[in-house]
Structures are given as C-alpha cells and as structure tokens.
Amino acid sequence: MFGSFYSSAKLIYVATIIYYINSRTICGEVFLVKKVSILIRNGLVVTMDDKRRIYNPGYVAIDEDKIVGVGRGDGADKYTAEEVIDARGSIVMPGFLCAHTHFYGELLRASPWFAKIDPPTDFMQNLQRIWWALDVLLTHEDAYAAALIGSIDFVKSGTTMFFDNISAPNAIEGILDHMEKAVNEVGLRGILSFEATQRRSIGEGIRGVRENERFIKKNNNDPNKLVKGAIYLHASFTVTDELFRMAREIANKYNALLSIHVEEGLVDVYHNLERYGIRPVERMEKLGFLGPDVILVHVVQANDDELAIIKKTGAHVAHNAMSNMLNAVGVPPIPKMMKLGINVGIGNDGYIFDVFENMRSTYLIHKVWNLDPRLMTPQEVVEMATINVAKMFGVEKELGSIEKGKKADIIIIKPEYTPTPVNEQTVYGHLINTFNGRDVRTVIVNGKIIMRDRKLLTIDEAKAVEYVHKTVEKLWDRLLSKGEYQLDVLELPKK
C-alpha cells in the first residue's frame, strides 16, 4: 500500500518537473512550450503563403521534417529547440524550386569543344553540333558526376527541389539510379527523368520511356524518398504519336508528371506543320497528351490559339530566360500567359544554376522585349521560383511556402552588404535586384540542415569537385577525339 503511494507521488513529482522545464511564466500566467528540432528566430520571414505574409522579426519552428509554427517575434514563448538559429539580419524563406534543368549541361561549361566546332547559326545546329554530339558519349559515371555537381550548385544558391532530365541514348537503362545516388548524397529533393527521343530509332524512344517507368515504380510510392521519377519526352519533332500515347498511358497509371520541350525553336513548329498539318500544342491536345500534370518547357513560338489550349488543359509552362538568350531562340510571351492565368515557373535548362541570376533575367527580358517597363514585378518573379513551381510539381500542399504543416525546405539568406535597407516593403526588390547565390548561408531540406554558413554538411565538397573535374576531363577527351555532328540518323542516305 505505502509502496504504491510513494510510486504515485514520484510520478507526480517527475511530471511537475517536466512541466516546469517545458513552460514559461509571463505576467503570472504559465504557457506550455513545445520542444522542436530547429527554431529559426529573429529573421525577416518571407512566407510566400496565400496572403504573402512577411514577419519582421519572425520565427520558424521545425520538428523533424515539418514546419510546426511560423509567426512574428522570436518564438521563445512557444518553443524550445535542440538547435536555435539566430537569423538576425537575414531573410528566411522557402527554398527555391527549379522548374526545368539538365544536370549534364554543367559538363560542357567552358568546354574546348566549342572552339573545335563550326559556330552554330540557329537552334537546330546547336542540337546537332553541341548537345547531341555530347549526349551520345555520356556514360553512367558522367551522369553521376553531372548530378553531383548540379546538386552542389543548387544547394549553394538556395534551390532545394528541381526537375531534371538527361539525354544519354547509349546509357539508358539504370542511368537514373546513378543520378539518384548523387542527389541523395548531397541531400537535395528532386525529380529525375530520362529524355525519351526517337531521333535515332523508334525503339530507343520506347526504351527511354521504360526507364522512366522503372524509376517511377521504384521511387514514387515511397514517402521516405526525396527523389521521384517522371516521364519526359524530348520534343514533338523527335517523337511519334505512339510515343505520346504511351507516355500519357504510363503517367495515368502511376499518377506521374509529364514534361516535354515545346517550340523552343521554329524547327518544332515547321516539323509538325509539314507532317501533321497542325502546330505542336494542337497536336498534343489532339493526342490527349495535355493536362494539369504536364509541364511544357520553353513555349517560345506559341501563337494565341496554342496559349488558349494550354490554359484550357491546365498545363504549366517552365520558362528558361537565360537559356533562351544563349540559344538565341527568342522570348516566349510569358506576360501574356500570366494574364491568361497559365501557371509559369522558372527553370534554368542546364545553363546557369544560380536562381537569382535566372530570376533577374526573367524580370528584365520581358520589359525590353515588349518595350514596357511595367511588365513583371519582383514579387511575381519570386512567386515563379517558389510557389508556382510547387504547383506545377503537384506539391503545393507540401512545399513552396513557409506554412504550418508543410515540409521544412527552408533557406536563410544573409547578404554581406545591401545599398539600402531590407524590410517588409523592400525584400522582394532586393531578392531580384541585389542578392545572388553566394548570399545563401544556410539550407534546410526535409528538416535537415545540409548547408551551414556555406559549408556543405553532407559531403566533402572539395573531394566531390575534384572527382567531377577528373570525370569531365575524360569526357572532354572523348568528345574531342570522337565527337561528331549528329544529324537525322533515320533519314541519312545509305552508304
């Protein structure tokens, strides 16, 4: 009897101590304090929520992989944390999302191959002399190296999720697993896909779609995997109607995303008019390919009828301003798309991975192209790199903004210098006109800090870069010794 009494008393005593430790007394009132994994406090918190709330100063509370609280103040009256990050003088915001990229684009940065070839005069020659000459030589090791350096670049400039596709027609089967390994080592969140094309053979395109299907089956139903799969087709001028239908059928079966380059160059338009009598977007609608799970990349040459189809079907558009400038293909009618209510997000197309440079280019190019300085506000452009991309990926309930219950993908930006004050009224302007990727100090993905004070915590960055450089040097040697212009193999005259 007495033993039972003392046991009960002991339990009451312990519970009282725990309550005391996890509480605060303010003005005589006791408030319970929740223990969380990470508390970011005293920062300028740009939430990107539906009301675009900004808290200055503000806090974000993270427990495991979720955001459990966000608001004004330092959060000390509500939370204690295993790790407290003082974000004084910093901007706290959701990680950026990249609507479209090619990791393997990094492998050609400043390559001597450009000095060897005849300078391309248009988009099709860019493909034939540069990208297709490269992709036929790519190996699984090259794909791993590309994903490794691309993931590092993304983290170091504040991008926490991406949609990548790779073209490597002589290394199809299993290639996405090698890329996944690199992405997981860095700790990034993303979507990987293989670029299915039939420019060389009908069967090669089918193999590409099957590689995507294999990866989707392996990853997409596992909630613990940060890397997912999707279906990617190169472009309508390199795939048949049958491949369009096959891709749509598989996407429906697995509830997977679909994406394709659309009207980046005029060759896409001319090909479809010559062979099918209709334009690319019209053809895709006719085949039942389009829908809210489709991301159309570039859409530079689209006319008003095609824009109406995109709006009607709920498809999204990935805009790649810097790549469009590099390839001299023109400027897509993005302001018109946005006015129609088409969801547009920013990608990099494998060119410059710093999202700030891509946002700045997006902000400027439409003003000069349309001779109208009123086009594109800083806030609209930041939306195009955060919540808009989350919507096109179908993850807007989990990512793209800082809100209670969403996944904790968060970045902290601390510029060394700003010419004018940063506050609630000016932060969007500074994000577009002042900051760059080197100002990103801390990156959190899925509740885990993967970069602190610009130091990657998941890998040895120096060793990773050294490995990538050695791999690229071997690739360049192959390219310089074996590289050839890639023409339309299916229609080459017989020797």
Side-chain angles (χ1 to χ4, degrees), residues 280-297:
V281 175
E282 294 171 328
R283 179 182 166 208
M284 286 186 277
E285 182 193 27
K286 183 178 179 181
L287 292 170
F289 180 79
L290 298 178
D293 55 354
V294 174
I295 300 170
L296 305 177
V297 180

Side-chain angles (χ1 to χ4, degrees), residues 253-321:
K253 181 177 179 180
Y254 299 104
N255 192 30
L257 292 175
L258 289 155
S259 192
I260 183 173
H261 298 105
V262 177
E263 300 187 27
E264 183 176 4
L266 286 169
V267 61
D268 200 6
V269 179
Y270 295 156
H271 171 92
N272 281 273
L273 287 172
E274 289 171 0
R275 297 199 179 189
Y276 303 97
I278 50 180
R279 294 174 67 92
V281 175
E282 294 171 328
R283 179 182 166 208
M284 286 186 277
E285 182 193 27
K286 183 178 179 181
L287 292 170
F289 180 79
L290 298 178
D293 55 354
V294 174
I295 300 170
L296 305 177
V297 180
H298 298 302
V299 198
V300 177
Q301 319 295 340
N303 63 19
D304 288 350
D305 289 344
E306 290 177 295
L307 295 185
I309 291 171
I310 295 171
K311 168 59 180 175
K312 179 180 69 176
T313 59
H316 313 265
V317 172
H319 177 39
N320 306 271

Side-chain angles (χ1 to χ4, degrees), residues 218-229:
K218 170 176 168 281
N219 281 29
N220 284 27
N221 288 329
D222 188 341
N224 296 316
K225 290 191 175 183
L226 296 184
V227 179
K228 307 294 186 182

Side-chain angles (χ1 to χ4, degrees), residues 63-75:
D63 198 31
E64 297 183 349
D65 62 340
K66 295 284 183 66
I67 297 167
V68 295
V70 54
R72 195 171 302 279
D74 64 5

Side-chain angles (χ1 to χ4, degrees), residues 172-184:
I172 298 176
E173 283 77 18
I175 195 169
L176 298 179
D177 294 338
H178 289 77
M179 299 180 71
E180 178 191 16
K181 181 176 183 292
V183 176
N184 284 337

